[in-house]
């Protein structure tokens, strides 16, 4: 027991003396922190501006961010950037963010470290812009509502920014979708004006200070959650990219209770079923063609497609309006011209450049699987995705496949619209393989005719008549 | 003309053999026989494609989907078969239907269709065609219709000649009577059964014509396929012995017949017993006794023939004949009597009775009478389904009688019996169609052949006249003198043109009927809007999909039996009754619940564990085949088992009404309440009061409907399907 603590202490000493890699908290303090929490949709977006200063003796190259465990679990995206240049030439440079661990974080708070481009010298300050997105953290209350009620949700957070550093000055703005706020926790100074709630200014907060708040407000935005999405992208070197997307959609808001009355829904649309949603918008690439929208039992006839030069929009309407807790599964499929997405890299490899994420707007995807089906005969597949994903290889069979097609499977959990950024899949492919399947068909037809000729010319009868 | 051009080229011999294509063309020139073969094969190929293509209207107009009611069950079982394999399928106990009884699928269905589709699916998969089983199911019927045209060709060739065969293939390819049951998506037993039926008949006739054991064997296998596919095999097993009997009576008994019938009957019977649903019916059921009797008669006939040959004395033979015949008849009658009395041989089934006596079902079995396709056929539907074939049919019979042979006797008997059945039940027009097409094709082929020979004779004379010039003027004059009638050639040409005009009308009529009447999936309803656009009512699938996604997986749904198969296939939920109407009491219980007051119905629903009730209602859209219009059948079927339900309670002076003047029981029964719940608040048509029922054109009588034991769970966007949730029992303390 004793020895172990000794060893730990020793390790801590070593690490702190080594300095930069895991700078311990007291070296840095936050001069000012401003948090803007956007609660207007079902996805919570937080914009955080931090001004940090190095007060330690050594250089600091990392800045730590802390999250409570519940938030860390639902954290979809965490991006940090810093502004460089002055005024008009100001550009934001992204910084790398990695999860990290420290031994003395209280209550299981999760830490992420932002690596600065230029280490902060003693006494220097820097401004960091952080965006993080949290899903599934708006809790409907009451959990069950009837058709005529509107949906209220709870938002749990802390009035103070959870930080491993000493915070000098801090303020939080919370934006709600409407000014119907049922209740909110007061941590003075607290102020509410219209759709905005303000917590702060707070001064001189010690590290890891936390003061829970609850905001109870109306949110009738569609809580559309795709529980499972499988996107199949099939490459054909004959010029087509075929995409099939299998959705398992759910309304994750307050569950629908009791009757569903069509009369009410039809005649009083403004007060009946306001939290339900009828249609969703999917943004597809331009020049999309042969779009279909169907499910296990056939075509769904209610959808509209608008094709533009920049983007195409597909408005899909599930068979029935989705109330809280109702589910719908469906498939969207479309074709795309290959030259828009398939390129050749300088080293002779082909690569597909396609958008990750879900084409539906403002939708959370719990589990996303992307299957890139490479043409038959392609070799050495590899992928480049801007965030960590699980990947594996499979073999799929389509029309006239003999050896099967190599398929790159990418899996990721908790996807938000901000994940719609391109990823690449590289592979080697010899165009001669394109001819394999036509040749197979040609030879089959040829053999058939040969068989016909042979049959007409051969007399198989035993007895001559 | 062609010959002349060739003659013109010939005088310039081998000027540039490599550049001129003519010598090679000449080498390619086919002999007449080869030409004829080529024309025949390409005509057949075109007919084959045509038969497939004409059935695709529904796919093009709607989508690749399964139609109607029964096909959904077939689709569901096929899906199970392809997923779980044949043994699982054969031993499948389906707990999703007929709750709480369940259904032994393997023992209560004809597996031929599903196995066929699954085999096609496997074959395509083996050939690396990545098709979905649904596409296979949708296109099974058109594919088999194409195959039927081939069988029709060979059959026609067998009974008349190749020309009649081609005509038969062309006629059957587009005959509406057959198309009605074989459009794409109509994935029903009949789709493959007509092919199997015609194949069996063809093989049997071939066996009778050749006396070959191989053809007999083939016909037995054809029969086996038919038995595995459709209950209509009973028609074969009665028609064939009848045909044999007729041949025996008309003195056409031959060794060929003996071989063909015995082989087909014995082997076919043994094979048919392998189908669990049929089992030992071939020796136990009254419907199959005719075949057995004829089989024994045939042995007696053969034995007598042999004795006659042995004895070689007419007098002795006659007394022997008397003794054997009487004893044989007595033994046969005794066996039949004992079998019937002990219950070993079952009496005829209700459906069979209703075939022989069209009024039987109406009086005794309301559940059979309630199905529209079991109604007697109207003249108009004959005209609709056969068109010119209706006139060609008697002409064909005339030609058949003129050239009587074993084969033509068969087709005449097939035609006459099936025409009778077609008159009894609308759906049996299907069975008559191949016979009508074949007989009509004989008339067509024979007529056209006669006419063309007349024309060609004349033109030959004309040709000789023109070539030989004045020198043969006398000869041609002689030839024209041979002709019995004046203007014969012109009349022949006129008749030929008339015939082709009629055939053209037939083709137009068939295409029109197919596209207008027989290509609607009936799941998706289409209508024209006021602006002329196409409006689609997809309410059925909306409701079924809602059930599938938003109810507990073990929920039990009560609905009228028409929708049972669709709910299990598309909604994936357990149903109380479905389209397999094997248990009349169970259906009557549901009928009783629908026609009782809500509290009484609640007790029945509680006893059946019902969670949801589904009704179909057309009052908003004007869809007339809804549950209110079917309601009297529910009352009748329910009242047939439970005398509490009386039909007059729902009628006012024998009239069925839903408006203010309706019977009080009608206005408060469960079906009425569920159909019209909160309908009184809705304005359906401009200028009409609220609660105006568009399907029946009246304002409803009870606008203030309160539900006590049920609550509205879902109503589709056009109100066609309404689903109610049964509330749990109230807490008593």
């Amino acid at each position: 027991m004793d020895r172990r603590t000794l060893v730990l202490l020793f390790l801590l000493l070593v690490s702190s003396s080594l300095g930069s890699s895991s700078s311990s908290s007291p070296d840095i303090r936050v001069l000012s922190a401003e948090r803007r929490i956007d609660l207007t949709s079902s996805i919570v977006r937080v914009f955080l501006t931090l001004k940090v200063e190095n007060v330690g003796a050594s250089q600091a190259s990392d800045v730590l961010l802390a999250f409570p465990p519940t938030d860390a679990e639902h954290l979809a995206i965490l991006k940090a950037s810093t502004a460089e240049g002055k005024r008009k030439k100001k550009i934001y440079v992204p910084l790398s963010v990695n999860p990290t661990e420290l031994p003395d974080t209280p209550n299981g708070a999760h830490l992420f470290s932002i690596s600065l481009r230029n280490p902060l010298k003693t006494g220097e300050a820097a401004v960091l812009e952080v965006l993080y997105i949290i899903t599934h953290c708006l809790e409907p209350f009451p959990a069950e509502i009837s058709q005529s009620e509107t949906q209220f949700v709870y938002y749990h957070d802390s009035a103070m920014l959870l930080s491993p550093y000493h915070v000098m000055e801090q303020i939080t703005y919370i934006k709600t979708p409407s000014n119907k706020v049922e209740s909110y926790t007061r941590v003075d100074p607290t102020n509410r004006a219209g759709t905005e709630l303000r917590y702060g200014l707070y001064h001189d907060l010690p590290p890891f200070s936390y003061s829970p708040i609850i905001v109870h407000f109306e949110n009738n935005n569609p809580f559309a959650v795709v529980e499972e999405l499988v996107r199949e992208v099939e490459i054909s070197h004959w010029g087509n990219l075929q995409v099939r997307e299998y959705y398992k959609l759910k309304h994750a808001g307050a569950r629908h209770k009791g009757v569903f009355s069509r009369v009410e829904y039809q005649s009083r649309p403004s007060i009946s079923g306001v939290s339900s949603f009828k249609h969703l918008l999917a943004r597809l690439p331009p020049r999309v063609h042969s779009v279909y929208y169907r499910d296990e039992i056939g075509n769904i006839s209610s959808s509209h497609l608008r094709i533009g030069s920049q983007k195409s929009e597909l408005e899909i309407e599930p068979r029935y309006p989705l109330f809280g807790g109702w589910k719908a599964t469906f498939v969207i499929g479309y074709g795309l011209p290959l030259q828009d997405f398939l390129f050749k890299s300088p080293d002779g490899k082909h690569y597909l450049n396609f958008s990750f994420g879900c084409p539906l707007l403002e939708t959370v995807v719990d589990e996303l699987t992307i299957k890139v089906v490479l043409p038959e005969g392609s070799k050495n597949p590899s992928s480049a995705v801007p965030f960590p994903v699980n990947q594996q290889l499979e073999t799929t069979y389509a029309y006239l496949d003999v050896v099967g097609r190599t398929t790159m499977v990418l899996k990721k959990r908790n996807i938000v619209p901000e994940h719609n950024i391109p990823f690449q899949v590289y592979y080697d492919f010899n165009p001669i393989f394109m001819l394999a399947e036509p040749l197979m068909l040609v030879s089959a037809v040829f053999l058939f005719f040969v068989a016909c000729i042979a049959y007409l010319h051969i007399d198989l009868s035993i007895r001559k008549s | 003309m062609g010959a002349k051009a060739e003659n013109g080229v010939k005088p310039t011999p081998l000027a540039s053999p490599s550049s001129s294509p003519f010598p090679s063309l000449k080498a390619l020139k086919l002999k007449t026989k080869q030409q004829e073969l080529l024309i025949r094969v390409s005509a057949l190929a075109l007919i084959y494609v045509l038969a497939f293509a004409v059935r695709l209207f529904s796919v093009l107009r709607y989508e690749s989907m399964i139609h109607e009611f029964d096909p959904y069950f077939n689709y569901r079982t096929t899906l199970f078969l392809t997923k779980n394999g044949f043994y699982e399928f054969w031993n499948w106990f389906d707990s999703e239907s007929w709750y709480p009884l369940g259904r032994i699928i393997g023992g209560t269905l004809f597996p031929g269709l599903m196995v066929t589709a699954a085999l096609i699916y496997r074959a395509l998969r083996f050939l690396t065609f990545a098709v979905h089983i649904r596409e296979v199911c949708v296109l099974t019927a058109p594919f088999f219709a194409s195959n039927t045209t081939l069988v029709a060709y060979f059959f026609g060739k067998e009974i008349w000649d190749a020309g009649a065969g081609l005509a038969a293939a062309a006629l059957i390819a587009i005959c509406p009577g057959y198309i009605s049951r074989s459009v794409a998506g109509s994935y029903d037993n009949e789709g493959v059964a007509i092919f199997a039926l015609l194949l069996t008949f063809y093989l049997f006739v071939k066996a009778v014509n050749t006396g070959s054991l191989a053809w007999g064997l083939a016909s037995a296998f054809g029969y086996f396929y038919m038995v595995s596919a459709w209950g209509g095999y009973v028609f074969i097993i009665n028609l064939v012995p009848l045909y044999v009997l007729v041949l025996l009576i008309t003195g056409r008994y031959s060794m060929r017949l003996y071989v063909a019938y015995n082989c087909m009957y014995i082997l076919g019977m043994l094979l048919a017993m392998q189908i669990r649903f049929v089992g030992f019916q071939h020796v136990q059921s009254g419907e199959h006794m005719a075949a057995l009797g004829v089989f024994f008669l045939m042995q007696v006939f053969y034995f007598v023939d042999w004795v006659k040959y042995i004895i070689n004395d007419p007098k002795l033979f006659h007394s022997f004949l008397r003794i054997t015949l009487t004893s044989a008849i007595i033994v046969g009658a005794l066996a039949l009597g004992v079998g019937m009395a002990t219950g070993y041989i079952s009496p005829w089934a209700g459906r069979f009775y209703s075939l022989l006596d069209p009024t039987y079902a109406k009086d005794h079995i309301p559940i059979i009478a309630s199905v529209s396709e079991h109604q007697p056929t109207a003249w108009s539907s004959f005209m609709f389904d056969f068109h010119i074939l209706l006139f060609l049919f008697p002409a064909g019979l005339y030609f058949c009688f003129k050239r009587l042979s074993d084969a033509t006797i068969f087709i005449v008997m097939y035609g006459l019996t099936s025409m009778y059945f077609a008159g009894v039940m609308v759906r049996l027009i299907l069975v008559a169609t191949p016979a009508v097409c074949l007989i009509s094709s004989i008339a067509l082929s024979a007529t056209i052949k006669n006419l063309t020979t007349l024309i060609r004779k004349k033109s030959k004379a004309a040709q000789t006249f023109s070539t030989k010039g004045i020198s043969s003027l006398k000869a041609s004059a002689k030839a024209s003198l041979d002709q019995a009638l004046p203007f014969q050639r012109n009349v022949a040409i006129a008749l030929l043109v008339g015939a082709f005009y009629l055939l053209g009308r037939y083709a137009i009529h068939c295409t029109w009927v197919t596209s207008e009447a027989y290509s609607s999936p009936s799941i998706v309803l289409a209508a024209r809007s006021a602006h002329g656009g196409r409006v689609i009512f997809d309410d059925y699938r909306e409701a079924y999909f809602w059930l599938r996604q938003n109810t507990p997986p073990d929920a039990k749904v009560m609905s009228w039996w028409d929708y049972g198969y669709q709910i299990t296939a598309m909604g994936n939920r357990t149903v109380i009754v479905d389209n397999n109407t094997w248990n009349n009491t169970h259906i009557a219980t549901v009928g009783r619940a629908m026609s009782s007051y809500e509290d009484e119905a609640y007790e029945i629903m509680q006893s059946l564990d019902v969670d949801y009730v589904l009704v179909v209602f057309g009052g908003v859209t004007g869809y007339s085949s809804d549950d209110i219009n079917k309601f009297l059948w529910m009352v009748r079927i329910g009242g047939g088992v439970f005398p509490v339900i009386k039909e007059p309670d729902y009628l006012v002076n024998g009239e069925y009404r839903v408006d203010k003047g309706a019977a009080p029981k009608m206005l408060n029964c469960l079906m009425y309440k569920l159909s019209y719940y909160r309908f009184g608040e809705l304005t359906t048509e401009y200028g009409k009061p609220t609660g105006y029922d568009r399907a029946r054109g009246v304002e409803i009588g009870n606008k203030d409907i309160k539900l006590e034991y049920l609550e509205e769970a879902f109503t589709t966007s056009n109100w066609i399907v309404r689903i109610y949730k049964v509330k749990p029992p109230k807490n008593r303390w």
Side-chain angles (χ1 to χ4, degrees), chain A residues 262-264 299 327 400, chain B residues 63 128 549-550 678 715 719:
Chain A
R262 180 62 74 170
V263 172
E264 301 274 332
N299 184 45
K327 292 175 184 174
L400 298 174
Chain B
E63 59 182 278
T128 70
Q549 297 285 336
N550 301 314
R678 298 200 70 175
T715 297
W719 291 57

Side-chain angles (χ1 to χ4, degrees), chain B residues 319-489:
Chain B
S319 51
F320 167 78
L321 193 63
R322 203 172 300 147
I323 295 164
T324 38
L325 265 188
T326 40
S327 56
I329 288 169
I330 288 167
V331 167
L334 261 179
L336 197 67
V338 168
M340 289 282 216
T342 54
Y344 188 74
I345 298 172
S346 65
W348 289 349
R351 256 177 227 213
F352 199 72
Y353 262 124
S354 63
L355 272 183
L356 300 180
D357 174 11
T359 56
Y360 178 82
K362 212 175 172 187
D363 301 334
H364 296 88
I365 331 167
I367 200 144
I368 290 181
S370 77
V371 180
S372 64
E373 60 182 23
H374 290 164
Q375 306 300 323
T377 318
W379 265 110
S380 57
S381 48
F382 271 118
M383 197 57 210
F384 200 63
D385 281 353
F386 289 141
H387 200 239
I388 59 162
L389 303 186
L390 215 52
F391 307 108
L392 286 174
F393 181 67
L397 286 182
Y398 163 75
F399 281 108
C400 285
F401 277 112
K402 223 176 138 191
R403 205 177 95 183
L404 222 47
S405 68
D406 289 355
T408 45
I409 289 178
F410 181 84
I411 196 69
V412 165
M413 289 191 56
Y414 174 27
L416 291 178
T417 47
S418 63
M419 259 324 221
Y420 166 74
F421 291 129
V424 174
M425 258 193 208
V426 179
R427 69 190 288 206
L428 292 181
I429 282 190
L430 180 70
V431 176
T433 305
V436 171
C437 286
L438 278 164
I439 293 175
S440 306
S441 76
I442 289 172
L444 196 67
S445 166
T447 313
I448 291 181
K449 207 172 195 174
N450 289 347
L451 290 176
T452 42
T453 25
L454 275 180
I455 293 167
R456 283 174 71 162
K457 227 187 251 165
K458 197 71 201 252
S459 64
K460 224 178 241 172
Q463 210 178 28
T464 45
F465 174 77
S466 69
T467 44
K468 285 181 184 169
I470 311 152
S471 61
S472 61
L473 197 83
K474 267 185 185 172
S476 67
K478 228 182 206 174
S480 63
L481 270 180
D482 288 345
Q483 314 264 312
L485 294 161
F487 309 119
Q488 194 170 14
R489 184 160 175 256

Side-chain angles (χ1 to χ4, degrees), chain A residues 188-321:
Chain A
D188 280 328
T190 306
N191 191 6
R192 190 187 144 213
T195 61
E196 198 173 75
L197 263 173
R198 198 183 73 214
Y199 284 92
L201 235 36
Y202 304 117
H203 296 282
D204 238 355
L205 301 167
F208 292 112
S209 53
Y210 192 84
S211 156
I213 55 165
I214 293 178
V215 185
H216 191 200
F217 63 101
E218 188 189 68
N219 189 345
N220 286 320
N221 281 300
F223 274 50
V225 171
V226 181
E227 292 182 312
E228 212 181 312
L229 170 60
V230 180
R231 304 182 79 196
E232 271 179 30
V233 184
E234 196 177 316
I235 300 169
S236 160
H237 275 255
W238 289 98
N240 191 35
L241 193 71
Q242 187 65 40
V243 185
R244 279 179 294 272
E245 296 171 346
Y246 301 87
Y247 290 87
K248 269 191 190 167
L249 186 71
K250 190 188 175 183
H251 187 303
R255 275 201 312 283
H256 177 68
K257 173 179 76 176
V259 297
F260 165 71
S261 167
R262 180 62 74 170
V263 172
E264 301 274 332
Y265 188 75
Q266 270 175 347
S267 55
R268 287 180 276 275
S270 55
I271 55 160
S272 166
V274 276
S275 70
S276 70
F277 59 91
K278 223 178 161 169
H279 39 70
L280 293 167
L281 203 63
R283 189 155 291 164
L284 304 179
R287 302 219 280 152
V288 66
H289 63 87
S290 13
V291 181
Y292 60 84
Y293 169 45
R294 54 176 301 137
D295 59 25
E296 292 114 303
I297 61 171
N299 184 45
I300 309 172
S301 44
S302 44
S303 62
H304 306 280
L305 178 69
R306 288 182 287 273
I307 296 182
S309 57
Q310 294 301 312
K311 58 173 197 281
S312 308
E313 278 184 343
L314 177 69
E315 190 184 272
I316 53 174
E317 206 173 299
R319 291 189 185 273
Y320 39 84

Side-chain angles (χ1 to χ4, degrees), chain A residues 406-424:
Chain A
T406 317
T407 305
M408 172 72 85
V409 183
L410 307 170
K411 279 188 183 173
K412 184 161 170 59
R413 295 184 57 82
N414 214 0
I415 301 285
V416 289
E418 276 74 6
H419 282 110
N420 279 351
I421 39 181
F423 71 100
Q424 290 81 32

Side-chain angles (χ1 to χ4, degrees), chain A residues 300-421:
Chain A
I300 309 172
S301 44
S302 44
S303 62
H304 306 280
L305 178 69
R306 288 182 287 273
I307 296 182
S309 57
Q310 294 301 312
K311 58 173 197 281
S312 308
E313 278 184 343
L314 177 69
E315 190 184 272
I316 53 174
E317 206 173 299
R319 291 189 185 273
Y320 39 84
L322 281 178
F323 278 79
W326 288 11
K327 292 175 184 174
T329 57
F330 54 88
V331 184
I332 299 176
Y334 46 92
L336 293 166
L338 191 70
Q339 69 266 28
D340 295 3
F341 299 94
L342 194 75
F343 307 97
K344 235 175 166 174
S345 66
D347 59 342
K349 279 193 159 203
H350 293 274
Y351 72 94
L352 172 82
N353 189 38
F354 202 68
S355 146
F356 206 86
C358 160
L360 293 181
L361 301 183
E362 278 303 294
T363 310
V364 179
V365 181
D366 287 347
E367 209 172 319
L368 173 70
T369 309
I370 295 191
K371 295 184 177 177
V372 180
V373 183
L374 302 175
E376 200 174 22
S378 52
K379 290 187 195 77
N380 308 326
S382 64
S383 68
V385 189
F387 30 77
V389 290
N390 282 337
Q391 50 173 280
Q392 65 198 67
L393 287 179
E394 269 180 14
T395 309
T396 47
Y397 291 89
Y399 281 91
L400 298 174
D401 283 352
V402 181
V403 293
R405 305 181 180 210
T406 317
T407 305
M408 172 72 85
V409 183
L410 307 170
K411 279 188 183 173
K412 184 161 170 59
R413 295 184 57 82
N414 214 0
I415 301 285
V416 289
E418 276 74 6
H419 282 110
N420 279 351
I421 39 181

Side-chain angles (χ1 to χ4, degrees), chain B residues 525-670:
Chain B
L525 312 164
R528 293 245 167 264
S529 74
H531 311 292
R534 189 153 166 264
V535 190
I536 283 189
F537 298 130
D538 205 356
D539 286 41
Y540 279 108
R541 287 194 294 183
E542 183 182 341
Y544 297 145
F545 205 63
W546 184 85
L547 275 177
R548 187 190 186 105
Q549 297 285 336
N550 301 314
T551 57
D554 61 343
K556 285 103 196 162
V557 183
M558 181 173 91
S559 72
W560 190 233
W561 59 268
D562 296 21
Y563 316 107
Y565 279 164
Q566 294 179 349
I567 293 171
T568 39
M570 286 195 271
N572 199 17
R573 291 294 173 267
T574 308
V575 293
I576 307 294
V577 290
D578 67 26
N579 308 46
N580 176 27
T581 52
W582 61 274
N583 189 330
N584 193 31
T585 315
H586 214 52
I587 291 180
T589 312
V590 172
R592 184 186 172 186
M594 292 294 190
S595 40
S596 308
Y597 292 124
E598 198 187 344
D599 49 349
E600 294 161 8
Y602 186 64
E603 270 172 40
I604 299 172
M605 291 190 288
Q606 285 290 310
S607 68
L608 288 174
D609 281 354
V610 175
D611 297 305
Y612 291 92
V613 185
L614 182 148
V615 294
V616 171
F617 171 63
V620 176
T621 48
Y623 172 58
S624 60
S625 52
D626 65 349
D627 277 348
I628 290 285
N629 280 358
K630 289 175 186 171
F631 183 58
L632 273 192
W633 286 111
M634 302 182 204
V635 172
R636 269 174 215 154
I637 292 168
V641 178
F642 304 102
V644 198
I645 307 292
K646 294 182 199 71
E647 193 178 331
D649 290 352
Y650 301 87
L651 303 175
V652 178
N653 301 329
E655 207 185 336
Y656 181 62
R657 333 172 43 158
V658 294
D659 56 354
K660 277 209 176 65
K665 179 132 197 194
M666 178 72 204
L667 289 178
N668 288 298
C669 69
L670 187 71

